[in-house]
Amino acid sequence: HSGPDAHVGPSPALRVRKLTPLCPPLARGEVDRSLTLPARIRFVEVARAEARGSLGFFGPRGLKPAAQEIEMGLFDQHLHSRHSFDCKTEPRANVESAIAKGLSGLTFTEHFDTHPDDWELCVFNDADCSATIARLREEFGGAIFVGKGIEVCYQPGTMDYVLNFLDRHRFDLVILSVHYFGGVTVHQREHWEGVEAVEGTRRYLEYVLEAVRFCEGLHLSRGRRVFDVLGHLDLAKRYTQRFLGSYDMSPFAGLIDEILSACLAADLTLE
């Protein structure tokens, strides 16, 4: 996490040289890129610090050197509150619920959508969100990590604006999500009229692939990742089941493989 006042918090991916006892041992120096939160994993340093530093876990915003033994807890890293148009929950209630459930942390990822039809609803008020996070950290910082994130809706026509916005603000976690298919929102029933579940799912996954390939190009041009997490790859199934009563991803194994390969190239972690 960037900045001197940033909290040590959740990472979307753990990269370690050796894990015990839940995973087979890795060769010294090998990097395991397959492990993601949430998972309660105890990992132990097994070698002296090398030239680049001690064994550690890499968060989206930097490296935290590991102690001799670190236990990672459960984190909720896709979470909305009243700062998003589709939620009325008070942020304080989110934190209290997370503590009651035994979570080690949570990251608020309020919506930011720049589609002309949704822009007024999905404005990300950075000042208000930051003030809320600051108050929650002051009140609950000793009990739980509280992170400031954002969920960006992929909109190819406005990504320059989005990137400028992200460059000017600080986040612990940046999610890129797709909420559209065929130019319309995936969550409205009328947009599924006359569309079969398989065809709608294909449209959605093709748009996801476009978004991930955008991230891949961005990663190559900037030499670093801008987006940390790809949100809800399987979102379409929620609405094919809700509106059409069916769900079948089996025809799309090849397309999903393309998405996963592009995620690797973009250093983008799957939610």
Side-chain angles (χ1 to χ4, degrees), residues 123-233:
V123 171
F124 188 94
N125 190 319
D126 187 78
D128 284 355
C129 290
S130 296
T132 296
I133 298 298
R135 288 194 298 269
L136 294 173
R137 285 175 172 173
E138 182 177 358
E139 183 175 359
F140 297 103
I144 192 170
F145 169 82
V146 180
K148 175 192 170 187
I150 187 170
E151 182 184 7
V152 174
C153 181
Y154 175 67
Q155 297 293 350
T158 57
M159 291 311 291
D160 285 343
Y161 175 87
V162 169
L163 294 175
N164 180 265
F165 181 88
L166 295 177
D167 287 341
R168 291 184 291 107
H169 298 87
R170 295 169 54 187
F171 300 96
D172 295 310
L173 189 78
V174 181
I175 299 175
L176 181 68
S177 294
V178 173
H179 300 103
Y180 284 72
F181 73 139
V184 296
T185 53
V186 72
H187 60 270
Q188 292 177 270
R189 183 182 294 273
E190 58 266 30
H191 296 157
W192 288 90
E193 293 178 1
V195 180
E196 294 184 354
V198 170
E199 173 61 17
T201 301
R202 180 188 63 78
R203 292 180 191 176
Y204 180 78
L205 291 175
E206 287 178 345
Y207 206 31
V208 172
L209 179 59
E210 177 185 321
V212 176
R213 283 179 171 163
F214 169 81
C215 292
E216 182 180 353
L218 196 62
H219 185 265
L220 289 173
S221 64
R222 292 198 175 196
R224 61 178 178 85
R225 68 181 178 202
V226 176
F227 299 96
D228 303 308
V229 173
L230 174 66
H232 44 60
L233 169 62

Side-chain angles (χ1 to χ4, degrees), residues 4 16 22 36 42 69 111 122-123 125 142 149 160 176 191 195 229 235 240 252:
V16 300
L22 300 181
T36 58
R42 179 174 296 275
E69 190 172 283
H111 284 293
C122 296
V123 171
N125 190 319
D160 285 343
L176 181 68
H191 296 157
V195 180
V229 173
L235 180 67
T240 60
F252 307 108

Side-chain angles (χ1 to χ4, degrees), residues 14-130:
L14 297 180
R15 303 175 182 177
V16 300
R17 295 188 182 90
K18 187 171 184 180
L19 298 169
T20 56
L22 300 181
C23 302
L26 305 174
R28 181 175 177 179
E30 184 179 351
V31 176
D32 188 335
R33 300 178 184 275
S34 66
L35 298 169
T36 58
L37 294 175
R40 185 168 291 275
I41 301 171
R42 179 174 296 275
F43 62 94
V44 182
E45 183 174 12
V46 295
R48 291 183 179 276
E50 298 177 352
R52 291 187 301 141
S54 300
L55 166 65
F57 64 88
F58 291 75
R61 301 294 178 233
L63 169 64
K64 164 71 168 62
Q68 284 297 107
E69 190 172 283
I70 298 176
E71 183 172 356
M72 293 295 291
L74 298 175
F75 291 80
D76 185 344
Q77 295 198 110
H78 189 155
L79 180 70
H80 300 294
S81 74
R82 61 173 173 79
H83 289 294
S84 289
F85 78 100
D86 58 350
C87 185
K88 297 181 180 179
T89 306
E90 283 296 323
R92 192 176 193 278
N94 289 123
V95 176
E96 290 174 337
S97 178
I99 293 173
K101 290 176 171 63
L103 297 185
S104 297
L106 72 169
T107 300
F108 288 92
T109 52
E110 310 294 0
H111 284 293
F112 181 39
D113 188 352
T114 52
H115 188 281
D117 294 341
D118 293 328
W119 204 323
E120 291 185 3
L121 288 174
C122 296
V123 171
F124 188 94
N125 190 319
D126 187 78
D128 284 355
C129 290
S130 296

